[in-house]
Structure formats: structure tokens, C-alpha cells
Amino acid sequence: MKHLLKLQDLTGDEILSLLNYADQLKYENKHGIEHKILKGKTLGMIFKKSSTRTRVSFEVGMYQLGGHALYLNSNDLQIGRGEPVEDTARVLSRYLDGIMIRTFDQSEVEALAKYGSIPVINGLTDYAHPCQVLADLMTIREYKGGFKGMKLCFIGDGNNMANSLIVGSIKMGMSFSIACPKEYIPDADIMKWAYEAGNFTCTESIEEAAADADVIYTDVWASMGQEDESAKRKAAFTGYCVDVRVMAMAKPDAMVLHCLPAHRGEEISSEVLEAHQHEIFDQAENRLHAQKAVLATLMK
Ligand code: CP
Ligand code: NVA
């Protein structure tokens, strides 16, 4: 594993070993055991979109591993004035030991990896959010004890989260269902991959998708960059709110996950979010541990 660009690039065993490493790092972190594995190393973090969890967990993760993280707002870089990503990649590779990037186009992340000579980590694109899904899988295993026989149901937009969750969940042996309006299904290549992999359903029916689910997952209806579609999307997703009515369709002990930020009263009711806050905030915490595993694996 040289980069983390999207979960399709990783084998199931590679994902599992990252999760095992993340569990170990979490345990050690809770017991005050320090590893300065990345002493003297610097991660550059390029942001073209806002972030709370990703920025803070990567920065703290690098600090805890003995390294340094550099926050690079793309508006302050020459990339924001049109310097090609191919040149940026080659220049930054001379200074840094790794790059984390949050941007719009997946092709930009892939180009950084292609033209640079250091590990590149996808911190979210319109297409994928692999770091979030590693934390999600870690949280599912903490609460459910494993993946085999588990069913994850995603309710909402077939967005970056849905794309990466489909790949990660199916690679871990879970079955996956998504309920969404038909105009908002996941990307075509992901749909094709999932149908071929099996254990995958895409439906407009929440009842069908949520039946027997062990995990209910949702995310915002309008992602970053889609703010001007908010009203249209709100109308299209009416009825797709994860509320007590939906929870009654899943298994009685179903857990709820949300990558956050959440819009209460839209994709999730306040009641369900608060009732499942333990899972959801453990999930947010696990970003730190899962990413430390990624950083240590790629940059040591
Ligand atoms: N879940 C997530 O990636 O959060 P941020 O947008 O705050 O980084
Ligand atoms: N789908 C959301 C995820 C945020 C973590 C977005 O892209 O804005």
C-alpha cells in the first residue's frame, strides 16, 4: 500500500490490517503508551473544502506520532491561482513526507499520487471518503464484534460516503443496502462493482433497505459544493429521514452511524441522533485512531 486514494485500491486484508493497527493504537493511546513513529516527518494537508474532524484528527494524529502537520488552505497556495497539480505534487514531494488532500475531483488526488513521490491520502473528494469509512468499520467492529453476517443500510444520497461505504462494507463481508431516490444513486462504477460483488441492494424503498439492518447510516442530502441544490434536494429526499419510524424497521439492536456534520430534522431526527450519540461520537473519535494507522503505515 503506497497511497490511500480510494478503498477499491486496497485488498480486504489490507483494510483489516489497518483496522487491527487502529485498534492497537487506540488501546495504547488510552493507556498512555506513545509511539513517535513519525518523528521528524511532515504531513502537508491541502484543503479546498471546509473540515472539522478531518483537519483536527490528522493534525493531532501527526503530533501524537511525533511528526508535524502543515495546514495548507488551497486559496493560499499557488494551486488556487492555477499552478498545475502535477507541478505542485513534484514540488511538495521535495519538502514533505506525505500529503493529505480534501478537494472536489478525484482525478486531482490521483494526479498528486501519480506525479509526486510521497504517499497521498484522500481526505474526501466528491467521489470518495476512505478515511471516514475506515473509522466507520472500526466502530462497527467495536459495537458488533465483527462483520460477517452484518447488514449495513445507508439511507440518503448516493454520494462520496455511500460510494466508499459500499466498497468498504462489502470488502469486509457485510451485506449492503441503500435507499435513495432513483436520481441520486451512487456512481455508476460503484454500482457495477457492488452488483458484481453481490450482497448489494439499491432501492427507493426504505422498508426494503432497512429490513433486518444491523447498522443504519446516513449523511447530508447536499454535500459540500452542492449548496445551491439544497432546496431541490430537500424536496427530493422528503421521507428519507432516519427517525424512529425508520429505526423500527431495522433490527431492535441496530446501531446508527453518521459521518457528521449532521442536519437534524433533515437526514436524521434529533431524537435518533441523541439516542445513538455514543456510537456516533465514538465513530468521530475513531477518525483519529484509524488515520494514525494509515499515517504510520504509509509514512514510517
Ligand atoms: N466527517 C468528516 O469528514 O468531517 P469534516 O468535514 O468535519 O472533516
Ligand atoms: N457527503 C458529505 C460528507 C462530509 C463529511 C460532503 O461531501 O460534504
Side-chain angles (χ1 to χ4, degrees):
M1 184 181 156
K2 278 164 63 183
H3 306 283
L4 177 58
L5 310 180
K6 56 187 183 300
L7 291 178
Q8 293 93 309
D9 301 339
L10 271 58
T11 64
D13 282 345
E14 283 174 322
I15 295 174
L16 262 182
S17 74
L18 285 173
L19 298 179
N20 293 341
Y21 196 8
D23 284 349
Q24 180 200 324
L25 289 168
K26 181 172 183 174
Y27 175 88
E28 290 174 348
N29 178 261
K30 301 283 178 199
H31 290 81
I33 303 166
E34 294 189 346
H35 288 298
K36 302 296 180 194
I37 304 166
L38 299 183
K39 189 169 183 294
K41 308 249 170 152
T42 305
L43 175 77
M45 310 189 298
I46 303 175
F47 282 91
K48 282 200 179 179
K49 292 175 174 172
S50 306
S51 172
T52 297
R53 282 143 288 268
T54 305
R55 177 182 174 179
V56 177
S57 56
F58 266 107
E59 189 159 339
V60 171
M62 278 304 290
Y63 173 75
Q64 290 183 358
L65 291 169
H68 177 62
L70 206 54
Y71 173 72
L72 303 166
N73 184 318
S74 69
N75 290 327
D76 300 333
L77 297 174
Q78 294 291 6
I79 208 169
R81 295 180 56 249
E83 183 169 18
V85 68
E86 294 83 346
D87 293 354
T88 306
R90 284 174 283 190
V91 171
L92 292 182
S93 294
R94 304 291 178 113
Y95 308 134
L96 300 169
D97 302 287
I99 300 175
M100 193 285 299
I101 178 167
R102 167 168 286 197
T103 187
F104 294 86
D105 289 336
Q106 180 72 17
S107 62
E108 201 174 337
V109 179
E110 307 271 346
L112 264 185
K114 180 173 174 195
Y115 289 93
S117 52
I118 54 176
V120 174
I121 300 169
N122 181 349
L124 180 146
T125 60
D126 292 345
Y127 176 73
H129 198 1
C131 293
Q132 179 67 55
V133 171
L134 292 174
D136 301 343
L137 293 170
M138 182 180 174
T139 313
I140 291 169
R141 195 165 68 165
E142 280 177 353
Y143 277 82
K144 297 291 178 188
F147 302 115
K148 292 279 179 287
M150 292 288 147
K151 175 178 173 180
L152 191 152
C153 165
F154 183 95
I155 296 176
D157 186 23
N159 59 15
N160 43 12
M161 275 315 314
N163 284 344
S164 291
L165 270 172
I166 288 169
V167 177
S169 306
I170 293 177
K171 280 194 182 227
M172 288 301 95
M174 301 173 75
S175 63
F176 195 100
S177 59
I178 174 167
C180 57
K182 58 180 180 308
E183 301 80 20
Y184 295 99
I185 60 172
D187 285 44
D189 63 319
I190 300 283
M191 293 287 285
K192 182 171 179 292
W193 181 92
Y195 277 123
E196 283 169 10
N199 287 329
F200 176 72
T201 317
C202 180
T203 170
E204 287 192 288
S205 160
I206 295 172
E207 285 87 347
E208 186 190 344
D212 292 325
D214 299 282
V215 186
I216 298 284
Y217 200 117
T218 191
D219 181 22
V220 293
W221 293 336
S223 286
M224 288 181 277
Q226 298 173 333
E227 288 79 4
D228 56 348
E229 292 178 29
S230 281
K232 183 179 138 206
R233 285 171 169 269
K234 237 184 233 182
F237 284 98
T238 303
Y240 284 88
C241 176
V242 173
D243 52 17
V244 286
R245 172 190 59 100
V246 170
M247 292 312 297
M249 299 171 190
K251 281 194 181 154
D253 64 345
M255 65 189 291
V256 175
L257 294 177
H258 191 310
C259 57
L260 303 175
H263 292 175
R264 288 167 172 79
E266 292 186 21
E267 78 278 359
I268 190 164
S269 71
S270 186
E271 193 180 358
V272 169
L273 194 151
E274 294 302 335
H276 292 271
Q277 56 165 304
H278 286 297
E279 293 119 76
I280 292 170
F281 293 106
D282 278 350
Q283 173 190 15
E285 178 189 328
N286 284 340
R287 292 292 303 278
L288 171 67
H289 309 297
Q291 285 157 201
K292 281 169 72 182
V294 171
L295 291 167
T297 301
L298 292 177
M299 288 172 63
K300 72 169 176 282

